Amino acid sequence: MGPDQVAAVLPLLSCAPAAVLGVRPFGLCRDQAALEHWCQECNVPLIIDAAAALGGVLPDGRPVGGQGAIETFSLHATKVFAVGEGGAITYAPQWQTLLREVLNFGMHDGTPTRMGINGKLSEFAAAVGLAQDDVFDEHLRVRRAVAERYRRFFMEYWSNWTPPWNPGSPPWQAYPVLAPTPEVLQRTLQATTTRGIQLRRYYHPALHQSPFGASYAPRPLPVSADLSARMLCFPVYSDMSREDHFKIMNVLKSIT
């Protein structure tokens, strides 16, 4: 999503936008500078959902977390830096008071003044986070090596599939790839399941295709629909050995 896509939606809104929500799908670390600049020019805050990107690096070498007014990260059990639940936020200084109030029941000086949640990190989760921090760099190294082997595999053996383009250096919660067609995706899922490899479809169905999300889509979203129909994620683990990964890729080579 870029400035052109956001600008195209503005005439459909009944009021001025309160914010623009950008996303780093799968934790991919693409540069959001163009959208960030557009939001600054329009005086609209850019909030980036970077749920799976904690530990990632932009193409220019900067760590994620410094773009937009706010970036949010998930610390859920499925993420690379996992404490079980909860998350983390990076933000421009002017948002600190508001965020602390919202995360503390909407209270200011002990008095509720706005809508809020209980967003404080428990001591137990913080202890898990400290333990994770001791091994996080090694986990990132392993996952990035796995992603690089996947990239070479798809270039050499499944060249009609599309790996992530210009992803920066993500933490690689999984390795997302676009199948050439929905039919090829379905055949691949069936073949890998019978061979004992679990692949996962994410963002399927697309939110605008679900009963809950349909009312929020004011017009057709053909790109989202196409991506949802062809996106397949391959496993990445923090303790995945080269031997285990080559076993997976050897199975994939046997699928035609």
Side-chain angles (χ1 to χ4, degrees):
M1 183 177 70
D4 292 344
Q5 287 74 29
V6 178
V9 173
L10 293 182
L12 304 176
L13 303 180
S14 59
C15 60
V20 171
L21 179 61
V23 182
R24 299 194 188 279
F26 304 105
L28 301 181
C29 299
R30 299 191 175 106
D31 189 0
Q32 300 277 357
L35 184 58
E36 183 178 34
H37 178 73
W38 185 91
C39 288
Q40 290 170 345
E41 290 289 308
C42 297
N43 198 29
V44 177
L46 171 62
I47 301 172
I48 299 178
D49 175 0
L54 187 62
V57 178
L58 299 175
D60 64 6
R62 288 178 295 159
V64 296
Q67 294 194 298
I70 296 170
E71 287 202 49
T72 64
F73 301 91
S74 172
L75 305 181
H76 183 260
T78 60
K79 301 302 185 286
V80 179
F81 192 100
V83 304
E85 279 292 356
I89 305 171
T90 60
Y91 50 84
Q94 66 267 30
W95 298 99
Q96 176 171 317
T97 299
L98 172 62
L99 287 171
R100 289 192 178 278
E101 290 179 1
V102 169
L103 294 172
N104 188 35
F105 305 103
M107 293 196 297
H108 178 76
D109 291 335
T111 301
T113 59
R114 64 177 72 250
M115 294 291 291
I117 62 172
N118 181 13
K120 298 181 289 296
L121 192 67
S122 71
E123 291 185 357
F124 178 80
V128 174
L130 289 173
Q132 281 277 44
D133 192 44
D134 290 338
V135 297
F136 191 45
D137 287 345
E138 174 62 14
H139 289 177
L140 291 175
R141 185 193 67 78
V142 170
R143 287 173 174 269
R144 285 167 178 158
V146 170
E148 176 58 20
R149 289 194 292 269
Y150 273 133
R151 186 189 68 82
R152 294 196 300 263
F153 170 86
F154 282 100
M155 288 181 60
E156 183 174 355
Y157 296 100
W158 288 15
S159 58
N160 58 338
W161 290 61
T162 306
W165 170 80
N166 193 25
S169 185
W172 297 111
Q173 177 187 10
Y175 193 79
V177 189
L178 279 176
T181 66
E183 293 73 23
V184 170
L185 182 149
Q186 289 292 350
R187 291 200 300 269
T188 302
L189 268 179
Q190 294 170 0
T192 53
T193 299
T194 60
R195 290 164 171 81
I197 296 176
Q198 183 184 32
L199 308 183
R200 292 287 301 274
R201 301 188 69 174
Y202 281 88
Y203 308 119
H204 176 77
L207 287 178
H208 75 284
Q209 296 172 323
S210 68
F212 170 77
S215 61
Y216 293 94
R219 62 178 183 174
L221 301 174
V223 174
S224 295
D226 174 63
L227 293 175
S228 176
R230 298 191 293 124
M231 184 68 68
L232 192 60
C233 285
F234 291 72
V236 181
Y237 305 118
S238 295
D239 59 351
M240 181 179 280
S241 67
R242 287 174 57 90
E243 292 75 16
D244 286 344
H245 194 208
F246 279 119
K247 288 179 182 177
I248 292 173
M249 291 189 292
N250 285 334
V251 170
L252 298 178
K253 290 177 188 177
S254 70
I255 298 173
T256 58

